[in-house]
Amino acid sequence: MHDRGMVDPQLLGAYAGHWTGDGTGVTVVLPPPGTVASGEVRGGAPATREFALLEPTRLVDRVDAVVLSGGSAFGLAAGDGVLRLLRERGTGFATPAGPVPIVVGMSIFDASVAAAGPPDPATAAPAGPSDPATAAPAGPSDPATAVLAAASPDADPAVGPPALGAVVDPPPDAGAVAGPPPDALAGRRAALAALSGEPLTTGRAGAGTGATTGKWRGRLDPGGLGRAERTAGPARVAALVVVNAWGDVLGPEGTPVFDGPGRPAPPPLGLTNTTIAVVITDAALTKNDCHLLAQSAHTGFARALHPAHSRYDGDATVALATGHVTTGVDLDRLRAATTEATAAAIRAAVTPAGPERTS
């Protein structure tokens, strides 16, 4: 699957790409064959797919794809499109009935949840603007300000959403909604974008399109998707993080990147969160080693988000090891580098805040 001629992988040996829709999106990571993986959930409200097989005691120790998506539980359907694409290409865990691709998924809650409804194949994952006949109710197009409507779909449409960075006191109703949650076609398109060699953008792109932060203080600050890389001896580690936290993003000095007065946010703001991450290293590691790396990524969450791992977040991490570096790897130094890379990626998701950026 990874013999792509002159096309180079975008993320430390792995192909990575997006499908970006209206207020939501999908980001797919396709590691090279034989990549070992594990993961860990620490948030209280996760939306995940195939996460149990990442436990060190489970039989399968390799994964074929990790799918990050908006749309909460609805958005996990994006993994189906990736699954079928990989099956078509003969990729997956070998069985007598043919290969079964191992596709792990993690999803954030964004405004597309409000537009979830009965599936319609004719309108699934539109490539461009929605068909006026099937589009969601009109409203401001900024995906970050639409999240309130997803949490309160019965809100008064005459009342507009707050500006980014504004204090929400109390959280107002909002009539803006995004397009429908990502589906199987959206996942397939993100995987094909990865394999085509398209540049991997960050900020409000892919799964980070509808992300927001700062809700625990009654704020609605920018979120997004960030990446960062660090080294540990001969090994490297990269982190790709979708930041949609209940808490604040903290700068290196430990203070919120977006500061100002706020107040504890009651529902619905307390229910529209989750930060999810993929960390990938070129070191040769066991599945148990990868589990430790996933734990260290969560330490990066605690360093750059406050509060992290709340009951209202579905915080989850997946660690991948491609195995290209086989000698001189110090696992504990690599874990420290993973923590640093994850924290840096969280900050990069919102600094500078704004539209998508090419990395």
Side-chain angles (χ1 to χ4, degrees):
M1 184 185 72
H2 280 67
D3 183 11
R4 302 293 298 173
M6 298 301 292
V7 176
D8 293 325
Q10 299 93 332
L11 187 70
L12 200 60
Y15 290 100
H18 304 308
W19 172 82
T20 299
D22 183 7
T24 191
V26 181
T27 299
V28 173
V29 178
L30 301 171
T35 294
V36 179
S38 188
E40 186 175 74
V41 174
R42 289 195 187 176
T48 60
R49 169 196 177 114
E50 296 278 38
F51 229 82
L53 63 79
L54 296 176
E55 296 176 10
T57 58
R58 302 306 182 206
L59 172 65
V60 176
D61 64 352
R62 316 286 167 107
V63 302
D64 301 303
V66 181
V67 181
L68 312 176
S69 62
S72 189
F74 299 103
L76 294 174
D80 293 339
V82 180
L83 180 87
R84 295 187 181 279
L85 176 65
L86 295 180
R87 168 79 174 206
E88 292 168 11
R89 292 169 173 260
T91 298
F93 184 77
T95 77
V100 177
I102 306 301
V103 178
V104 174
M106 300 179 282
S107 186
I108 68 166
F109 191 113
D110 60 20
S112 70
V113 175
D120 182 353
T123 59
S130 301
D131 184 340
T134 59
S141 60
D142 187 340
T145 61
V147 69
L148 287 174
S152 297
D154 297 325
D156 181 357
V159 181
L164 283 178
V167 176
V168 182
D169 186 17
D173 295 330
V177 297
D183 58 9
L185 182 55
R188 183 183 183 93
R189 287 176 171 167
L192 290 173
L195 293 170
S196 73
E198 290 183 16
L200 183 64
T201 52
T202 57
R204 288 187 197 163
T209 301
T212 55
T213 61
K215 289 157 278 189
W216 81 301
R217 291 195 294 148
R219 297 174 60 89
L220 197 62
D221 293 325
L225 183 141
R227 65 181 291 186
E229 186 174 320
R230 295 291 186 270
T231 60
R236 295 179 295 163
V237 61
L240 190 66
V241 186
V242 180
V243 184
N244 187 53
W246 187 55
D248 294 308
V249 177
L250 304 181
E253 72 289 345
T255 58
V257 171
F258 305 104
D259 208 354
R263 62 185 293 275
L269 284 178
L271 303 176
T272 59
N273 320 290
T274 285
T275 297
I276 50 181
V278 177
V279 293
I280 180 169
T281 179
D282 54 8
L285 301 179
T286 66
K287 190 175 185 182
N288 191 67
D289 293 340
C290 285
H291 189 244
L292 293 174
L293 225 61
Q295 290 180 340
S296 295
H298 278 294
T299 304
F301 282 23
R303 186 173 292 183
L305 296 171
H306 179 72
H309 307 128
S310 77
R311 292 179 299 156
Y312 310 112
D313 289 285
D315 295 348
T317 62
V318 172
L320 307 173
T322 64
H324 294 140
V325 178
T326 59
T327 60
V329 176
D330 184 313
L331 178 59
D332 289 298
R333 291 184 184 276
L334 185 59
R335 292 183 65 192
T338 299
T339 295
E340 294 169 2
T342 304
I346 289 170
R347 295 173 184 131
V350 300
T351 310
E356 67 179 30
R357 304 180 293 276
T358 300
S359 302

